[in-house]
């Protein structure tokens, strides 16, 4: 694999751009079993992608509401985002507690 240039966007190296792009987004009225099978196939493509982490972070930061990005479905990304937000709140609360203890002491 060639080294990416700083001006070369991460998605130019994405495996999904070269093949199997239809795996990543659901057709309308897709039956559940077909969706689950398609998503697992998409995740297998993601697993061999050299920019999977960049893709996942892009989808989390946007946030992308549909499709498989970086090996995660939209539902899985919502869980990750919820956990990140909860962790950020916990860290802020812990920092505030430390500040209060320091101020009191």
């Amino acid at each position: 694999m060639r080294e990416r240039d700083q001006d070369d966007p991460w998605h130019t190296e994405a495996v999904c751009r070269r093949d199997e792009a239809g795996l990543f987004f659901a057709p309308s009225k897709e039956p559940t079993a077909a969706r689950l099978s398609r998503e697992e196939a998409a995740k297998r493509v993601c697993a061999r992608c050299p920019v999977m982490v960049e893709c996942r972070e892009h989808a989390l930061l946007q946030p992308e509401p549909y499709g498989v990005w970086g090996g995660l479905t939209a539902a899985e990304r919502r869980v990750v985002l919820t956990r990140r937000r909860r962790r950020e709140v916990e860290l802020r609360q812990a920092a505030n507690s430390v500040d209060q203890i320091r101020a009191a002491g």
Side-chain angles (χ1 to χ4, degrees):
M1 179 179 84
R2 72 176 178 85
E3 196 67 29
R4 278 196 321 276
D5 185 285
Q6 292 288 7
D7 297 326
D8 196 9
W10 63 266
H11 52 79
T12 60
E13 295 295 320
V15 173
C16 63
R17 290 180 59 94
R18 294 189 288 276
D19 58 15
E20 305 162 23
L23 288 176
F24 297 89
F25 295 93
S28 61
K29 300 180 183 178
E30 182 179 35
T32 301
R35 177 182 53 80
L36 293 173
S37 176
R38 179 188 50 73
E39 288 173 346
E40 285 306 312
K43 289 178 180 185
R44 285 192 298 275
V45 173
C46 291
R48 68 176 202 270
C49 184
V51 293
M52 183 178 78
V53 172
E54 294 93 334
C55 179
R56 179 178 294 172
E57 284 305 309
H58 162 82
L60 291 166
L61 292 172
Q62 285 306 308
E64 292 289 351
Y66 305 106
V68 175
W69 290 78
L72 297 177
T73 65
E76 292 165 335
R77 290 192 303 277
R78 284 190 295 274
V79 169
V80 170
L81 288 171
T82 298
R83 288 180 180 161
R84 281 186 180 182
R85 287 184 196 115
R86 187 178 305 133
R87 183 70 179 140
E88 288 172 5
V89 167
E90 290 169 354
L91 289 172
R92 277 196 301 274
Q93 289 173 341
N96 289 339
S97 294
V98 168
D99 290 344
Q100 289 172 355
I101 292 169
R102 286 184 183 148

